[in-house]
Amino acid sequence: MMRIFRRILAISLLPIAILAGIAGLTASIGDKVPPLAQLGLAFDGTAAAEVEGAVILASTMADPALRSGASSPAAAQSEQKLLEAFRAEPLNRAGLRSMALIMRQRRDARYDDFVDAALMASPRTPSLVGLALENAARDGENTYALNLLDRLMRLRPSTVRELMPRLVKQLEQNPDVAEMEQILRREPLWAPIFFSLAADSDVLLPIVARIRTDMGQTTSSNELIDARYIRNLAAAGDFDAAWRIFRLQRPSAGEYGLQFDTQFAPFDWTLSSGAAQTASLLSGDILEIDLLNGGGNAARQVLRLSDEPRQIEGSVTWEGDGTNDLVVSAACADAGAVQEIARLSPGQSRLAAALPRGCRYVNLVIATERSYATVPTIVTLRGLRIG
């Protein structure tokens, strides 16, 4: 599996290394070099290195025969100019980059040693970091590869953001749980991006969720990312895993019962907001529904229950002359559609309804009857609890 990881990194970084090396080059083969860049050759080693390096690299890529070390006339002339520029400024970043890319394209036996030396001479050149990272991954030097990945993250975060989706796709093909956990426990700089992308992967979601739970409090995740894990795990039916991450973010939450917040659905409230009705949480754990003509579900939450028989209790007040009933429904979270367990008409002031038995998680829905009315009405539920 270590080989798989090395292969993933090498495959993922290959296009980035090439693109980072040749981006910004300003010339093509032969006598088509732009006059402005050509004028700069006499004064600027960077211009010379980039222009001549582009000529050689383009020649080599265009003619497979040149990859064995042969040279076209145009490339040979450019090689001489590149060497002159390189000798004049041996630490020039463009020169190091051009030489490395040319040696790489031609499969020069000295390539690995040159990349190592070039990176030591210019440790903050992203293209050289990418090439060294590719070599490290290929050779199984995973610790060094991860350090280089962190360095690349600091130098050019956008590059890692381009890399990570491809890395996630590769890991989906054959994930190694032990190696993935070992890497993520180091909390590398790219870990938040990885956690974020893995949350939307059907393959990686349960694997990374367990790693996330085992890591406990960490800087590699945050409330927004964990909220997606909670939501996506619950949608996949893995309520236990979702609850464990919920408790990481909400350690003060009780083991069972209602929650009075809206941050981490579905264990917090999900509230309606629209022209038909708006549900709100008020201080003191009060749920208020402002309705005009009804709108179906006003508030819903997944409850975690103990094994004893339970019921939902609370008081209800009505303001306004609307005629819409308040409907409470529930079902085991893995049992499909909810069923009505209580219906309160305007004027009724007490809610007490038994919740489904035999399930750890219950889907609770509080709704208003879908009937037309012209009189605004506010329904307020106070003291809601699981008794």
Side-chain angles (χ1 to χ4, degrees):
M1 297 310 296
M2 299 292 280
R3 290 196 300 272
I4 292 174
F5 179 71
R6 295 196 297 269
R7 200 171 302 139
I8 290 170
L9 279 177
I11 292 172
S12 301
L13 287 163
L14 178 59
I16 290 179
I18 295 175
L19 290 173
I22 64 176
L25 298 185
T26 58
S28 56
I29 300 175
D31 52 352
K32 297 181 180 179
V33 177
L36 185 60
Q38 191 174 35
L39 179 63
L41 296 182
F43 307 102
D44 185 4
T46 298
E50 291 189 343
V51 171
E52 305 306 339
V55 172
I56 302 168
L57 187 61
S59 298
T60 304
M61 295 177 69
D63 187 353
L66 301 180
R67 296 176 189 174
S68 61
S71 181
S72 68
Q77 183 179 7
S78 290
E79 284 177 12
Q80 183 60 37
K81 292 182 178 180
L82 176 58
L83 287 173
E84 291 174 359
F86 193 71
R87 291 191 187 102
E89 298 180 39
L91 298 183
N92 185 284
R93 295 172 61 183
L96 293 171
R97 180 181 60 203
S98 295
M99 289 289 288
L101 288 171
I102 292 165
M103 294 173 73
R104 182 184 188 281
Q105 188 67 28
R106 291 186 171 179
R107 300 182 177 89
D108 194 308
R110 302 164 296 177
Y111 167 69
D112 288 358
D113 291 337
F114 181 85
V115 170
D116 291 341
L119 188 61
M120 289 181 63
S122 186
R124 296 182 58 82
T125 301
S127 56
L128 295 177
V129 176
L131 293 172
L133 176 53
E134 178 189 335
N135 292 348
R138 179 201 63 203
D139 296 338
E141 299 175 358
N142 290 334
T143 301
Y144 183 45
L146 291 170
N147 289 335
L148 289 171
L149 189 57
D150 282 347
R151 190 190 305 184
L152 191 60
M153 179 73 178
R154 293 186 181 94
L155 294 173
R156 189 169 291 172
S158 61
T159 301
V160 178
R161 292 182 182 277
E162 294 169 7
L163 159 69
M164 198 55 66
R166 288 198 292 271
L167 178 60
V168 168
K169 291 296 183 184
Q170 292 291 335
L171 284 173
E172 287 176 338
Q173 303 304 313
N174 201 345
D176 185 319
V177 178
E179 185 174 62
M180 198 182 305
E181 183 167 6
Q182 180 184 9
I183 293 170
L184 289 172
R185 280 188 177 278
R186 299 172 185 171
E187 297 195 50
L189 290 175
W190 46 264
I193 302 175
F194 178 80
F195 272 113
S196 179
L197 293 174
D200 295 324
S201 167
D202 292 339
V203 175
L204 297 180
L205 174 64
I207 298 172
V208 180
R210 184 191 64 76
I211 296 173
R212 168 72 188 95
T213 303
D214 291 345
M215 290 175 65
Q217 298 301 326
T218 172
T219 59
S220 295
S221 191
N222 56 46
E223 293 181 352
L224 292 177
I225 295 175
D226 280 351
R228 287 168 54 201
Y229 274 93
I230 295 167
R231 182 175 61 251
N232 293 349
L233 286 165
D238 194 346
F239 292 98
D240 283 331
W243 180 261
R244 285 191 291 270
I245 296 181
F246 173 76
R247 288 300 300 274
L248 285 177
Q249 287 291 348
R250 193 73 62 69
S252 60
E255 280 291 333
Y256 311 106
L258 281 163
Q259 309 298 327
F260 286 90
D261 208 328
T262 59
Q263 189 171 13
F264 299 110
F267 301 119
D268 283 338
W269 286 112
T270 299
L271 304 175
S272 66
S273 177
Q277 65 182 358
T278 298
S280 306
L281 283 179
L282 307 181
S283 60
D285 298 343
I286 296 172
L287 176 62
E288 181 183 270
I289 304 172
D290 187 345
L291 65 101
L292 177 61
N293 58 6
N297 295 346
R300 63 181 186 272
Q301 182 179 140
V302 171
L303 311 175
R304 189 171 189 270
L305 300 181
S306 59
D307 295 330
E308 294 81 10
R310 296 294 183 186
Q311 68 176 9
I312 182 169
E313 304 170 350
S315 63
V316 185
T317 58
W318 307 73
E319 298 177 47
D321 297 326
T323 59
N324 303 82
D325 288 348
L326 186 73
V327 181
V328 180
S329 303
C332 293
D334 57 357
V338 295
Q339 302 295 321
E340 182 178 316
I341 61 173
R343 176 179 289 264
L344 282 72
S345 299
Q348 289 184 272
S349 61
R350 187 68 187 167
L351 168 64
L355 294 168
R357 299 182 61 180
C359 45
R360 178 67 68 189
Y361 299 94
V362 168
N363 192 13
L364 174 71
V365 177
I366 298 177
T368 55
E369 185 183 29
R370 291 183 181 273
S371 61
Y372 181 75
T374 59
V375 181
T377 301
I378 295 177
V379 182
T380 305
L381 294 92
R382 293 182 172 86
L384 282 178
R385 58 184 293 269
I386 303 300

